[in-house]
Amino acid sequence: MVGSDDRDNDSRDSTGRPDDSRLTDTTAHHSKDFEQQLAALDGEVSTEEQDAIGALPSGSALLVVRRGPNTGARFLLDADVTTAGRHPDADIFLDDVTVSRRHTEFRRHGVAFEIRDLGSLNGTYYDGVRIESAMLSDGAEVQVGKFRLTFYASRLDLAHQASE
């Protein structure tokens, strides 16, 4: 029909309003893993992560993957030297081509931790700055290849340092 508009083809109920029976529910439902990944992107700490951080003994720390292939993964730093890289024998195995086989290491000095680049191709970054080595502070971001990890020190050690 010439001059008709699309509204003539709309279904209407008995009151003249559009018939909603053809509409589909588009509500998105997210898994717990997806919600954790979103929280990680926002820099938020999940309840599980808070519990893990709160349970750290003195002289240890935790790394949480915020971006990268295994977002949400946690790595405990509780040895004098912890290596990270693409080599299967690394203490922290980061499986991605942007990571060198022997990329970086974390060294414990009492209750403090240092990160050292091991001559990696793509470098190691501390709060966005490429470094050879740096002492880590609580909440700092470390980047190894495409992985971004957040460093959390033992709360016992932080409380002790604050009281000094």
Side-chain angles (χ1 to χ4, degrees):
M1 180 154 104
V2 176
S4 71
D5 75 38
D6 290 335
R7 287 178 290 171
D8 293 338
N9 295 328
D10 289 346
S11 295
R12 304 271 174 183
D13 66 13
S14 61
T15 64
R17 289 187 220 136
D19 182 5
D20 292 339
S21 65
R22 295 181 301 150
L23 300 178
T24 57
D25 182 11
T26 58
T27 304
H29 300 280
H30 303 291
S31 70
K32 186 175 180 180
D33 288 342
F34 181 73
E35 289 173 4
Q36 287 177 337
Q37 290 174 354
L38 283 178
L41 291 175
D42 290 339
E44 295 177 15
V45 180
S46 71
T47 304
E48 286 178 15
E49 290 169 349
Q50 288 174 8
D51 292 344
I53 295 163
L56 289 170
S58 180
S60 66
L62 191 69
L63 290 170
V64 179
V65 179
R66 296 295 179 203
R67 289 192 183 150
N70 55 346
T71 298
R74 293 178 280 197
F75 300 103
L76 180 63
L77 300 178
D78 63 349
D80 289 336
V81 177
T82 303
T83 60
R86 196 167 34 102
H87 194 281
D89 292 339
D91 300 311
I92 299 173
F93 178 57
L94 300 174
D95 190 18
D96 188 81
V97 295
T98 61
V99 178
S100 296
R101 287 179 188 84
R102 289 183 24 87
H103 198 108
T104 193
E105 67 183 12
F106 299 88
R107 294 184 161 268
R108 180 171 56 185
H109 302 283
V111 296
F113 285 85
E114 174 188 17
I115 184 170
R116 285 188 180 184
D117 184 78
L118 299 175
S120 66
L121 179 64
N122 292 320
T124 299
Y125 292 80
Y126 173 72
D127 285 341
V129 178
R130 189 171 181 157
I131 52 97
E132 294 299 317
S133 74
M135 294 304 290
L136 294 172
S137 60
D138 188 60
E141 181 185 83
V142 172
Q143 184 174 342
V144 178
K146 68 167 60 170
F147 293 85
R148 290 189 184 197
L149 308 100
T150 303
F151 173 84
Y152 297 101
S154 164
R155 296 308 181 230
L156 294 172
D157 297 335
L158 292 176
H160 179 67
Q161 290 170 359
S163 69
E164 290 180 342

